């Protein structure tokens, strides 16, 4: 049963990769709401406190990973200064409708 928890933890860590990669490589934050990510950061902090108080090691690791990825996402959004060709193309299509 514990393998399910570790698999879920691995997926939480991997799930951030596409977004962080896009922000890192393209410096494109098109459509990203920093407020949403900030709320997720506060939620993860509260859940981390809850997990630590309850002695939940695995879930504490998940929340710490979440917080690290969320902070990295927010930092990369703040430094982004570009709209990548993919998102330019989407914007142009919407403008022509
Ligand atoms: Zn983009």
């Amino acid at each position: 049963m514990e393998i399910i928890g570790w698999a879920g933890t691995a997926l939480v860590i991997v799930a951030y990769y596409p977004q962080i990669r896009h922000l890192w490589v393209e410096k494109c934050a098109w459509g990203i709401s920093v407020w949403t990510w900030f709320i997720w950061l506060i939620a993860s902090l509260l859940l981390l406190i809850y997990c630590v108080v309850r002695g939940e090691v695995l879930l504490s690791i998940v929340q710490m990973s979440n917080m690290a990825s969320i902070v990295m996402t927010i930092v990369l959004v703040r430094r982004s200064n570009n709209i990548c060709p993919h998102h330019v193309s989407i914007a142009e299509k919407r403008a022509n409708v």
Side-chain angles (χ1 to χ4, degrees):
M1 201 60 181
E2 195 166 301
I3 188 70
I4 293 173
W6 284 107
T9 302
L11 285 175
V12 166
I13 294 167
V14 170
Y16 289 96
Y17 176 77
Q19 184 67 74
I20 288 174
R21 183 188 178 284
H22 187 74
L23 286 164
W24 184 272
V25 173
E26 301 288 347
K27 295 181 175 52
C28 170
W30 196 80
I32 294 177
S33 165
V34 172
W35 276 109
T36 298
W37 288 86
F38 184 73
I39 292 167
W40 282 339
L41 181 61
I42 300 301
S44 286
L45 175 63
L46 295 174
L47 290 170
L48 174 62
I49 293 168
Y50 179 77
C51 291
V52 167
V53 168
R54 291 184 54 105
E56 300 279 353
V57 175
L58 180 61
L59 295 177
S60 296
I61 292 170
V62 170
Q63 292 312 319
M64 286 189 280
S65 171
N66 264 341
M67 290 177 69
S69 296
I70 292 168
V71 167
M72 186 170 205
T73 299
I74 292 171
V75 167
L76 291 174
V77 166
R78 301 285 298 167
R79 76 149 204 178
S80 69
N81 57 3
N82 187 35
I83 301 175
C84 70
H86 173 71
H87 284 124
V88 165
S89 143
I90 290 173
E92 286 174 348
K93 283 178 189 167
R94 288 186 182 170
N96 293 331
V97 172

Coordinates of all heavy atoms in Angstrom, one line a residue:
M1 N 0.8 -1.2 0.0 CA 0.0 0.0 0.0 C 0.9 1.3 0.0 O 0.5 2.3 -0.6 CB -0.9 -0.1 1.2 CG -2.1 0.8 1.1 SD -3.1 0.3 -0.3 CE -4.4 1.5 -0.1
E2 N 2.0 1.2 0.7 CA 2.9 2.3 0.7 C 3.4 2.7 -0.7 O 3.7 3.9 -0.9 CB 4.1 2.0 1.7 CG 4.8 3.3 2.1 CD 5.7 3.1 3.2 OE1 5.2 2.6 4.3 OE2 6.9 3.3 3.1
I3 N 3.5 1.8 -1.6 CA 4.0 2.1 -2.9 C 3.1 3.1 -3.6 O 3.5 3.9 -4.4 CB 4.1 0.8 -3.8 CG1 4.8 1.0 -5.1 CG2 2.8 0.1 -4.0 CD1 6.3 1.4 -5.0
I4 N 1.8 3.0 -3.3 CA 0.8 3.9 -3.9 C 1.2 5.4 -3.4 O 1.1 6.3 -4.2 CB -0.6 3.6 -3.5 CG1 -1.0 2.2 -4.2 CG2 -1.6 4.7 -3.9 CD1 -2.4 1.7 -3.7
G5 N 1.5 5.5 -2.2 CA 1.9 6.8 -1.7 C 3.1 7.3 -2.3 O 3.2 8.5 -2.7
W6 N 4.1 6.5 -2.5 CA 5.4 6.9 -3.1 C 5.2 7.2 -4.6 O 5.7 8.1 -5.2 CB 6.5 5.8 -3.0 CG 7.0 5.9 -1.6 CD1 6.8 5.0 -0.6 CD2 7.9 6.9 -1.0 NE1 7.5 5.4 0.6 CE2 8.1 6.5 0.4 CE3 8.4 8.1 -1.5 CZ2 8.9 7.3 1.2 CZ3 9.2 8.9 -0.6 CH2 9.4 8.5 0.7
A7 N 4.3 6.4 -5.3 CA 4.0 6.7 -6.7 C 3.3 8.0 -6.8 O 3.6 8.8 -7.7 CB 3.1 5.6 -7.3
G8 N 2.3 8.3 -5.9 CA 1.7 9.6 -5.9 C 2.7 10.7 -5.7 O 2.6 11.8 -6.3
T9 N 3.6 10.5 -4.8 CA 4.6 11.5 -4.5 C 5.5 11.8 -5.7 O 5.7 12.9 -6.1 CB 5.5 11.0 -3.3 OG1 4.7 10.8 -2.2 CG2 6.6 12.1 -3.0
A10 N 5.9 10.7 -6.4 CA 6.7 10.9 -7.6 C 5.9 11.7 -8.7 O 6.5 12.5 -9.3 CB 7.1 9.5 -8.1
L11 N 4.6 11.4 -8.8 CA 3.8 12.1 -9.8 C 3.6 13.6 -9.4 O 3.6 14.4 -10.3 CB 2.4 11.4 -9.9 CG 2.4 10.1 -10.7 CD1 1.0 9.5 -10.7 CD2 2.9 10.3 -12.1
V12 N 3.5 13.9 -8.2 CA 3.4 15.3 -7.7 C 4.7 16.0 -8.2 O 4.6 17.1 -8.7 CB 3.2 15.4 -6.2 CG1 3.4 16.8 -5.7 CG2 1.8 15.0 -5.8
I13 N 5.8 15.4 -7.9 CA 7.1 16.0 -8.3 C 7.2 16.2 -9.8 O 7.6 17.3 -10.3 CB 8.3 15.2 -7.8 CG1 8.3 15.2 -6.2 CG2 9.6 15.7 -8.3 CD1 9.2 14.2 -5.6
V14 N 6.9 15.1 -10.6 CA 7.0 15.2 -12.0 C 5.9 16.1 -12.7 O 6.2 16.7 -13.7 CB 6.8 13.7 -12.6 CG1 6.7 13.7 -14.1 CG2 8.0 12.9 -12.2
A15 N 4.8 16.3 -12.0 CA 3.7 17.1 -12.6 C 4.1 18.5 -12.9 O 3.6 19.1 -13.8 CB 2.5 17.0 -11.7
Y16 N 5.0 19.0 -12.1 CA 5.4 20.5 -12.3 C 6.4 20.6 -13.4 O 6.6 21.8 -13.9 CB 6.0 21.0 -11.0 CG 5.0 21.2 -9.8 CD1 4.9 20.2 -8.9 CD2 4.3 22.4 -9.8 CE1 3.9 20.4 -7.8 CE2 3.4 22.6 -8.7 CZ 3.2 21.6 -7.8 OH 2.3 21.8 -6.8
Y17 N 7.0 19.5 -13.8 CA 8.1 19.6 -14.8 C 7.7 20.4 -16.1 O 8.4 21.3 -16.5 CB 8.6 18.3 -15.2 CG 9.7 18.3 -16.2 CD1 11.0 18.8 -16.0 CD2 9.4 17.9 -17.5 CE1 11.9 18.8 -17.0 CE2 10.3 18.0 -18.5 CZ 11.6 18.4 -18.2 OH 12.5 18.5 -19.2
P18 N 6.5 20.0 -16.8 CA 6.2 20.7 -18.0 C 6.1 22.2 -17.8 O 6.6 23.0 -18.7 CB 4.9 20.1 -18.4 CG 4.9 18.8 -17.8 CD 5.6 19.0 -16.5
Q19 N 5.4 22.7 -16.8 CA 5.2 24.1 -16.6 C 6.6 24.8 -16.3 O 6.9 25.8 -16.8 CB 4.3 24.3 -15.4 CG 3.9 25.8 -15.2 CD 3.2 26.4 -16.3 OE1 2.0 26.1 -16.5 NE2 3.8 27.2 -17.1
I20 N 7.4 24.2 -15.4 CA 8.6 24.8 -15.0 C 9.6 24.8 -16.2 O 10.3 25.8 -16.5 CB 9.3 24.1 -13.8 CG1 8.4 24.4 -12.6 CG2 10.7 24.5 -13.6 CD1 8.8 23.7 -11.3
R21 N 9.6 23.8 -17.0 CA 10.4 23.7 -18.2 C 10.0 24.8 -19.2 O 10.9 25.5 -19.7 CB 10.3 22.3 -18.9 CG 11.2 22.2 -20.1 CD 10.9 20.9 -20.9 NE 11.8 20.9 -22.1 CZ 11.6 21.6 -23.2 NH1 10.6 22.4 -23.2 NH2 12.4 21.5 -24.2
H22 N 8.7 25.0 -19.4 CA 8.2 26.0 -20.3 C 8.7 27.4 -19.8 O 9.2 28.2 -20.6 CB 6.7 26.0 -20.4 CG 6.2 26.9 -21.5 ND1 6.3 26.6 -22.8 CD2 5.5 28.1 -21.4 CE1 5.7 27.6 -23.5 NE2 5.3 28.5 -22.6
L23 N 8.5 27.7 -18.5 CA 8.9 29.0 -18.0 C 10.4 29.1 -18.1 O 10.9 30.2 -18.4 CB 8.5 29.0 -16.5 CG 7.0 29.2 -16.3 CD1 6.6 28.9 -14.8 CD2 6.6 30.7 -16.6
W24 N 11.2 28.1 -17.8 CA 12.6 28.2 -17.8 C 13.2 28.4 -19.2 O 14.0 29.3 -19.4 CB 13.2 26.9 -17.2 CG 14.7 26.9 -17.1 CD1 15.6 26.5 -18.0 CD2 15.5 27.4 -15.9 NE1 16.9 26.7 -17.5 CE2 16.8 27.2 -16.3 CE3 15.1 27.9 -14.7 CZ2 17.8 27.6 -15.4 CZ3 16.1 28.2 -13.8 CH2 17.5 28.0 -14.2
V25 N 12.7 27.6 -20.2 CA 13.3 27.6 -21.5 C 12.7 28.7 -22.3 O 13.5 29.5 -22.9 CB 13.0 26.2 -22.2 CG1 13.4 26.3 -23.7 CG2 13.6 25.1 -21.5
E26 N 11.4 28.9 -22.3 CA 10.8 30.0 -23.2 C 10.7 31.3 -22.5 O 10.4 32.3 -23.1 CB 9.4 29.5 -23.6 CG 9.4 28.2 -24.3 CD 9.9 28.3 -25.8 OE1 10.1 29.4 -26.2 OE2 10.2 27.3 -26.4
K27 N 10.8 31.3 -21.1 CA 10.6 32.5 -20.4 C 9.2 33.1 -20.7 O 9.0 34.3 -20.7 CB 11.6 33.6 -20.6 CG 13.0 33.2 -20.1 CD 14.0 34.3 -20.4 CE 15.4 33.9 -19.8 NZ 16.0 32.7 -20.1
C28 N 8.2 32.2 -20.9 CA 6.9 32.6 -21.3 C 5.9 32.2 -20.1 O 5.8 31.0 -19.7 CB 6.5 31.8 -22.6 SG 4.7 31.9 -23.0
A29 N 5.2 33.2 -19.6 CA 4.2 32.9 -18.5 C 2.8 33.2 -19.0 O 1.9 33.5 -18.2 CB 4.6 33.8 -17.3
W30 N 2.5 33.0 -20.3 CA 1.3 33.3 -20.9 C 0.2 32.5 -20.2 O 0.2 31.3 -20.0 CB 1.3 32.9 -22.4 CG 0.2 33.5 -23.2 CD1 0.2 34.8 -23.7 CD2 -1.0 32.9 -23.6 NE1 -1.0 35.0 -24.4 CE2 -1.7 33.8 -24.4 CE3 -1.5 31.6 -23.5 CZ2 -2.9 33.5 -25.0 CZ3 -2.7 31.3 -24.0 CH2 -3.4 32.3 -24.8
G31 N -0.8 33.3 -19.7 CA -2.0 32.6 -19.1 C -1.9 32.1 -17.7 O -2.8 31.6 -17.1
I32 N -0.7 32.4 -17.1 CA -0.5 31.9 -15.7 C -1.0 33.0 -14.7 O -0.6 34.1 -14.8 CB 1.0 31.5 -15.4 CG1 1.4 30.4 -16.3 CG2 1.2 31.2 -14.0 CD1 2.8 30.0 -16.2
S33 N -1.8 32.6 -13.7 CA -2.2 33.5 -12.7 C -1.3 33.3 -11.5 O -1.3 32.2 -10.8 CB -3.7 33.1 -12.3 OG -4.0 33.7 -11.1
V34 N -0.5 34.3 -11.2 CA 0.3 34.2 -10.0 C -0.5 34.1 -8.7 O -0.1 33.4 -7.8 CB 1.3 35.4 -9.9 CG1 2.1 35.5 -8.6 CG2 2.2 35.4 -11.1
W35 N -1.6 34.7 -8.7 CA -2.5 34.6 -7.5 C -2.9 33.2 -7.2 O -3.0 32.7 -6.1 CB -3.7 35.5 -7.6 CG -3.4 36.9 -7.2 CD1 -3.3 38.0 -8.0 CD2 -3.1 37.4 -5.9 NE1 -2.9 39.1 -7.3 CE2 -2.8 38.7 -5.9 CE3 -3.0 36.7 -4.6 CZ2 -2.5 39.5 -4.8 CZ3 -2.7 37.5 -3.5 CH2 -2.4 38.9 -3.6
T36 N -3.2 32.4 -8.3 CA -3.6 31.0 -8.1 C -2.4 30.3 -7.5 O -2.6 29.5 -6.5 CB -4.0 30.4 -9.5 OG1 -5.1 31.1 -10.0 CG2 -4.2 28.9 -9.3
W37 N -1.2 30.5 -8.0 CA -0.1 29.8 -7.5 C 0.2 30.2 -6.1 O 0.7 29.4 -5.2 CB 1.2 30.0 -8.4 CG 1.0 29.2 -9.7 CD1 0.4 29.6 -10.8 CD2 1.5 27.9 -10.0 NE1 0.4 28.6 -11.8 CE2 1.1 27.6 -11.3 CE3 2.2 27.0 -9.2 CZ2 1.4 26.4 -11.9 CZ3 2.6 25.8 -9.8 CH2 2.1 25.5 -11.1
F38 N 0.0 31.5 -5.8 CA 0.2 32.0 -4.4 C -0.8 31.3 -3.4 O -0.4 30.9 -2.3 CB 0.1 33.5 -4.4 CG 0.4 34.1 -3.0 CD1 1.7 34.1 -2.5 CD2 -0.6 34.5 -2.2 CE1 2.0 34.7 -1.3 CE2 -0.4 35.1 -1.0 CZ 0.9 35.1 -0.5
I39 N -2.0 31.1 -3.8 CA -3.0 30.5 -3.0 C -2.6 29.0 -2.8 O -2.7 28.5 -1.7 CB -4.4 30.6 -3.6 CG1 -4.9 32.1 -3.5 CG2 -5.4 29.7 -2.9 CD1 -6.1 32.4 -4.4
W40 N -2.1 28.4 -3.9 CA -1.6 27.0 -3.7 C -0.5 26.9 -2.7 O -0.3 25.9 -2.0 CB -1.2 26.4 -5.1 CG -2.4 26.0 -5.9 CD1 -3.6 25.7 -5.5 CD2 -2.4 25.8 -7.3 NE1 -4.4 25.3 -6.6 CE2 -3.7 25.3 -7.7 CE3 -1.4 25.9 -8.3 CZ2 -4.0 25.1 -9.0 CZ3 -1.7 25.6 -9.6 CH2 -3.0 25.2 -9.9
L41 N 0.4 27.9 -2.8 CA 1.5 28.0 -1.8 C 1.0 28.0 -0.4 O 1.5 27.3 0.5 CB 2.4 29.1 -2.2 CG 3.7 29.3 -1.3 CD1 4.6 28.1 -1.4 CD2 4.4 30.6 -1.7
I42 N 0.1 28.9 -0.1 CA -0.5 29.0 1.2 C -1.1 27.7 1.6 O -1.0 27.2 2.8 CB -1.5 30.2 1.3 CG1 -0.8 31.5 1.0 CG2 -2.1 30.3 2.7 CD1 0.4 31.9 1.8
A43 N -1.9 27.1 0.7 CA -2.6 25.8 1.0 C -1.5 24.7 1.3 O -1.7 24.0 2.3 CB -3.4 25.4 -0.2
S44 N -0.4 24.7 0.6 CA 0.6 23.7 0.8 C 1.3 23.9 2.2 O 1.6 23.0 2.9 CB 1.7 23.7 -0.3 OG 1.2 23.1 -1.4
L45 N 1.5 25.2 2.5 CA 2.1 25.5 3.8 C 1.2 25.0 5.0 O 1.6 24.4 5.9 CB 2.3 27.0 4.0 CG 2.8 27.5 5.3 CD1 4.2 26.9 5.6 CD2 2.9 29.0 5.4
L46 N -0.1 25.3 4.8 CA -1.1 24.9 5.9 C -1.1 23.3 6.0 O -1.1 22.7 7.0 CB -2.5 25.4 5.6 CG -2.6 26.9 5.7 CD1 -4.0 27.4 5.2 CD2 -2.3 27.4 7.0
L47 N -1.1 22.7 4.8 CA -1.1 21.2 4.8 C 0.2 20.6 5.3 O 0.2 19.6 6.0 CB -1.4 20.7 3.4 CG -2.8 20.9 2.9 CD1 -2.9 20.6 1.4 CD2 -3.8 20.1 3.6
L48 N 1.3 21.3 5.1 CA 2.6 20.9 5.6 C 2.5 20.9 7.1 O 2.9 20.0 7.8 CB 3.7 21.7 5.1 CG 5.1 21.4 5.7 CD1 5.5 20.0 5.4 CD2 6.1 22.4 5.2
I49 N 2.0 22.0 7.7 CA 1.9 22.1 9.1 C 1.0 21.0 9.7 O 1.4 20.3 10.7 CB 1.3 23.5 9.5 CG1 2.3 24.6 9.2 CG2 1.0 23.6 11.0 CD1 1.8 26.0 9.2
Y50 N -0.1 20.8 9.0 CA -1.0 19.7 9.4 C -0.3 18.3 9.4 O -0.4 17.6 10.4 CB -2.2 19.7 8.5 CG -3.2 18.6 8.8 CD1 -4.1 18.8 9.9 CD2 -3.3 17.5 8.0 CE1 -5.1 17.8 10.2 CE2 -4.3 16.5 8.3 CZ -5.1 16.7 9.3 OH -6.0 15.7 9.6
C51 N 0.4 18.1 8.4 CA 1.1 16.8 8.2 C 2.2 16.6 9.2 O 2.4 15.5 9.8 CB 1.7 16.6 6.8 SG 0.5 16.5 5.5
V52 N 3.0 17.7 9.5 CA 4.1 17.6 10.5 C 3.5 17.3 11.9 O 4.0 16.5 12.6 CB 4.9 18.9 10.5 CG1 5.8 19.0 11.7 CG2 5.7 19.0 9.2
V53 N 2.4 18.1 12.2 CA 1.8 17.9 13.5 C 1.3 16.4 13.7 O 1.4 15.8 14.8 CB 0.6 18.9 13.7 CG1 -0.3 18.5 14.9 CG2 1.2 20.3 13.9
R54 N 0.8 15.9 12.6 CA 0.3 14.5 12.7 C 1.3 13.4 12.5 O 1.1 12.2 12.5 CB -0.8 14.3 11.6 CG -2.1 15.1 11.9 CD -3.2 14.8 10.9 NE -3.4 13.4 10.8 CZ -4.5 12.8 11.3 NH1 -5.4 13.4 11.9 NH2 -4.6 11.5 11.1
G55 N 2.6 13.9 12.2 CA 3.7 12.9 12.0 C 3.6 12.2 10.7 O 4.2 11.0 10.6
E56 N 3.0 12.8 9.7 CA 2.9 12.1 8.4 C 4.2 12.5 7.5 O 4.2 13.5 6.9 CB 1.7 12.6 7.6 CG 0.4 12.3 8.4 CD -0.1 10.9 8.1 OE1 0.5 10.2 7.3 OE2 -1.1 10.5 8.8
V57 N 5.1 11.6 7.5 CA 6.4 11.9 6.9 C 6.2 12.0 5.4 O 6.7 13.0 4.8 CB 7.5 10.8 7.2 CG1 8.7 11.0 6.4 CG2 7.7 10.8 8.7
L58 N 5.6 11.0 4.8 CA 5.5 11.0 3.3 C 4.7 12.2 2.8 O 5.1 12.9 1.9 CB 4.8 9.7 2.8 CG 4.6 9.6 1.3 CD1 5.9 9.6 0.6 CD2 3.8 8.3 1.0
L59 N 3.6 12.5 3.5 CA 2.8 13.6 3.0 C 3.5 15.0 3.3 O 3.3 16.0 2.6 CB 1.4 13.6 3.7 CG 0.5 12.4 3.3 CD1 -0.8 12.4 4.0 CD2 0.3 12.4 1.8
S60 N 4.3 15.0 4.3 CA 5.1 16.2 4.6 C 6.1 16.4 3.5 O 6.3 17.5 3.0 CB 5.9 16.1 5.9 OG 5.0 16.0 7.0
I61 N 6.7 15.3 3.0 CA 7.6 15.4 1.8 C 6.9 15.9 0.6 O 7.4 16.8 -0.1 CB 8.3 14.0 1.6 CG1 9.2 13.7 2.7 CG2 9.1 14.0 0.2 CD1 9.8 12.3 2.7
V62 N 5.7 15.4 0.4 CA 4.9 15.9 -0.8 C 4.7 17.4 -0.6 O 4.8 18.1 -1.6 CB 3.5 15.1 -0.8 CG1 2.6 15.8 -1.9 CG2 3.8 13.7 -1.1
Q63 N 4.3 17.9 0.5 CA 4.0 19.3 0.7 C 5.3 20.1 0.5 O 5.2 21.2 -0.1 CB 3.3 19.6 2.0 CG 1.9 19.0 2.1 CD 1.1 19.3 0.9 OE1 1.1 20.4 0.4 NE2 0.3 18.3 0.4
M64 N 6.4 19.6 1.0 CA 7.7 20.4 0.8 C 8.0 20.4 -0.6 O 8.5 21.5 -1.1 CB 8.8 19.8 1.7 CG 8.6 20.1 3.2 SD 10.0 19.6 4.2 CE 9.7 17.8 4.3
S65 N 7.8 19.3 -1.3 CA 8.1 19.3 -2.8 C 7.2 20.3 -3.5 O 7.6 21.0 -4.4 CB 7.9 17.9 -3.3 OG 8.0 17.9 -4.7
N66 N 5.9 20.2 -3.1 CA 4.9 21.2 -3.7 C 5.4 22.6 -3.5 O 5.4 23.4 -4.4 CB 3.6 21.0 -3.0 CG 2.6 20.1 -3.8 OD1 2.8 19.9 -4.9 ND2 1.6 19.6 -3.1
M67 N 5.7 22.9 -2.3 CA 6.1 24.3 -2.0 C 7.4 24.7 -2.8 O 7.4 25.9 -3.3 CB 6.4 24.5 -0.5 CG 5.0 24.4 0.3 SD 5.3 24.5 2.1 CE 5.8 26.2 2.2
A68 N 8.3 23.9 -2.9 CA 9.5 24.2 -3.7 C 9.2 24.4 -5.1 O 9.7 25.4 -5.7 CB 10.6 23.1 -3.5
S69 N 8.3 23.6 -5.7 CA 8.0 23.7 -7.1 C 7.1 25.0 -7.3 O 7.3 25.7 -8.3 CB 7.2 22.5 -7.6 OG 8.0 21.4 -7.5
I70 N 6.2 25.3 -6.4 CA 5.4 26.5 -6.5 C 6.2 27.7 -6.4 O 6.0 28.7 -7.2 CB 4.3 26.4 -5.4 CG1 3.3 25.3 -5.7 CG2 3.5 27.8 -5.4 CD1 2.3 25.0 -4.6
V71 N 7.1 27.8 -5.4 CA 8.0 28.9 -5.3 C 8.8 29.1 -6.6 O 9.0 30.2 -7.1 CB 8.9 28.8 -4.1 CG1 10.0 29.9 -4.1 CG2 8.1 29.0 -2.8
M72 N 9.4 28.0 -7.1 CA 10.1 28.1 -8.4 C 9.3 28.6 -9.5 O 9.7 29.5 -10.3 CB 10.7 26.7 -8.7 CG 11.6 26.8 -9.9 SD 12.5 25.2 -10.0 CE 13.9 25.7 -10.9
T73 N 8.0 28.1 -9.6 CA 7.1 28.6 -10.6 C 6.9 30.1 -10.5 O 7.0 30.8 -11.5 CB 5.8 27.8 -10.6 OG1 6.1 26.4 -10.8 CG2 4.8 28.3 -11.6
I74 N 6.6 30.6 -9.3 CA 6.3 32.0 -9.1 C 7.5 32.8 -9.5 O 7.4 33.9 -10.1 CB 5.9 32.3 -7.7 CG1 4.5 31.6 -7.4 CG2 5.8 33.8 -7.4 CD1 4.0 31.6 -6.0
V75 N 8.7 32.4 -9.1 CA 10.0 33.1 -9.4 C 10.2 33.2 -10.9 O 10.5 34.3 -11.4 CB 11.2 32.5 -8.7 CG1 12.5 33.0 -9.2 CG2 11.1 32.7 -7.2
L76 N 9.9 32.1 -11.6 CA 10.1 32.0 -13.0 C 9.1 32.9 -13.7 O 9.4 33.5 -14.8 CB 10.1 30.6 -13.5 CG 11.3 29.8 -13.1 CD1 11.2 28.3 -13.5 CD2 12.6 30.3 -13.7
V77 N 7.9 32.9 -13.2 CA 6.8 33.7 -13.8 C 7.2 35.2 -13.7 O 7.1 36.0 -14.6 CB 5.4 33.5 -13.1 CG1 4.4 34.6 -13.5 CG2 4.9 32.1 -13.5
R78 N 7.7 35.6 -12.5 CA 8.1 37.0 -12.3 C 9.3 37.4 -13.2 O 9.4 38.6 -13.6 CB 8.6 37.2 -10.9 CG 7.5 36.9 -9.8 CD 6.4 37.9 -9.8 NE 7.0 39.2 -9.3 CZ 6.4 40.3 -9.4 NH1 5.1 40.4 -9.8 NH2 6.9 41.4 -9.0
R79 N 10.2 36.5 -13.6 CA 11.3 36.8 -14.5 C 10.9 36.6 -16.0 O 11.7 37.0 -16.8 CB 12.5 36.1 -14.1 CG 12.5 34.6 -14.6 CD 13.8 34.0 -15.0 NE 13.5 33.0 -15.9 CZ 14.4 32.2 -16.5 NH1 15.7 32.4 -16.3 NH2 14.0 31.3 -17.3
S80 N 9.8 36.1 -16.3 CA 9.4 35.8 -17.7 C 9.2 37.1 -18.4 O 8.6 38.0 -17.8 CB 8.2 34.9 -17.8 OG 7.1 35.5 -17.3
N81 N 9.7 37.2 -19.6 CA 9.5 38.4 -20.4 C 9.3 38.1 -21.8 O 9.7 38.9 -22.7 CB 10.8 39.3 -20.2 CG 12.1 38.5 -20.6 OD1 12.0 37.3 -21.1 ND2 13.2 39.1 -20.5
N82 N 8.7 37.0 -22.1 CA 8.5 36.6 -23.5 C 7.2 35.9 -23.7 O 6.6 35.4 -22.7 CB 9.7 35.6 -23.8 CG 9.7 35.2 -25.3 OD1 9.4 36.0 -26.1 ND2 10.1 34.0 -25.5
I83 N 6.7 35.9 -24.9 CA 5.6 35.0 -25.3 C 6.1 34.1 -26.3 O 6.6 34.5 -27.4 CB 4.4 35.8 -25.8 CG1 3.9 36.8 -24.8 CG2 3.2 34.9 -26.2 CD1 2.8 37.7 -25.2
C84 N 6.1 32.8 -26.1 CA 6.7 31.8 -27.0 C 5.9 31.7 -28.3 O 4.7 32.1 -28.3 CB 6.7 30.5 -26.3 SG 5.1 29.7 -26.1
P85 N 6.5 31.2 -29.3 CA 5.8 31.1 -30.6 C 4.4 30.3 -30.5 O 3.5 30.7 -31.2 CB 6.8 30.3 -31.5 CG 8.1 30.7 -30.9 CD 7.9 30.8 -29.4
H86 N 4.4 29.3 -29.7 CA 3.2 28.5 -29.5 C 2.0 29.4 -29.0 O 0.9 29.4 -29.5 CB 3.4 27.3 -28.6 CG 2.2 26.6 -28.2 ND1 1.5 25.8 -29.1 CD2 1.5 26.5 -27.1 CE1 0.5 25.3 -28.5 NE2 0.4 25.7 -27.3
H87 N 2.3 30.2 -28.0 CA 1.3 31.0 -27.4 C 1.0 32.3 -28.2 O -0.2 32.7 -28.2 CB 1.7 31.4 -25.9 CG 1.4 30.2 -25.0 ND1 2.4 29.8 -24.2 CD2 0.4 29.5 -24.8 CE1 2.0 28.7 -23.5 NE2 0.7 28.5 -23.8
V88 N 1.9 32.7 -29.0 CA 1.7 33.8 -30.0 C 0.7 33.3 -31.0 O -0.3 34.0 -31.3 CB 3.0 34.3 -30.6 CG1 2.6 35.1 -31.9 CG2 3.8 35.1 -29.7
S89 N 0.9 32.1 -31.5 CA 0.0 31.5 -32.4 C -1.4 31.4 -31.9 O -2.4 31.7 -32.6 CB 0.6 30.2 -32.9 OG -0.4 29.2 -33.1
I90 N -1.6 30.9 -30.7 CA -2.9 30.8 -30.0 C -3.5 32.2 -29.9 O -4.7 32.4 -30.3 CB -2.8 30.2 -28.6 CG1 -2.4 28.7 -28.8 CG2 -4.1 30.3 -27.9 CD1 -2.1 28.0 -27.5
A91 N -2.8 33.2 -29.5 CA -3.3 34.6 -29.4 C -3.8 35.1 -30.7 O -4.8 35.8 -30.8 CB -2.2 35.5 -28.7
E92 N -3.0 34.8 -31.8 CA -3.3 35.3 -33.1 C -4.6 34.6 -33.6 O -5.5 35.3 -34.2 CB -2.2 35.1 -34.1 CG -1.0 36.0 -33.9 CD 0.2 35.7 -34.7 OE1 0.2 34.6 -35.3 OE2 1.1 36.5 -34.8
K93 N -4.7 33.4 -33.3 CA -6.0 32.6 -33.8 C -7.2 33.2 -33.1 O -8.2 33.4 -33.7 CB -5.8 31.2 -33.5 CG -5.0 30.4 -34.4 CD -4.8 28.9 -34.1 CE -3.8 28.3 -34.9 NZ -3.4 27.0 -34.4
R94 N -7.1 33.5 -31.8 CA -8.2 34.1 -31.0 C -8.5 35.5 -31.5 O -9.7 35.9 -31.5 CB -7.9 34.1 -29.5 CG -7.9 32.7 -29.0 CD -7.8 32.7 -27.5 NE -7.8 31.4 -27.0 CZ -7.4 31.0 -25.7 NH1 -7.1 31.9 -24.9 NH2 -7.5 29.8 -25.3
A95 N -7.5 36.2 -31.9 CA -7.7 37.6 -32.4 C -8.4 37.6 -33.7 O -9.1 38.6 -34.0 CB -6.4 38.3 -32.5
N96 N -8.2 36.6 -34.5 CA -8.8 36.5 -35.8 C -10.2 35.9 -35.9 O -10.8 35.8 -36.9 CB -7.9 35.7 -36.8 CG -6.6 36.4 -37.0 OD1 -6.6 37.7 -37.0 ND2 -5.5 35.7 -37.3
V97 N -10.7 35.5 -34.7 CA -12.0 34.8 -34.7 C -13.1 35.9 -34.8 O -13.0 37.0 -34.3 CB -12.3 34.0 -33.4 CG1 -13.7 33.5 -33.3 CG2 -11.3 32.9 -33.4
Ligands
LIG1 ZN1 4.4 30.0 -23.9

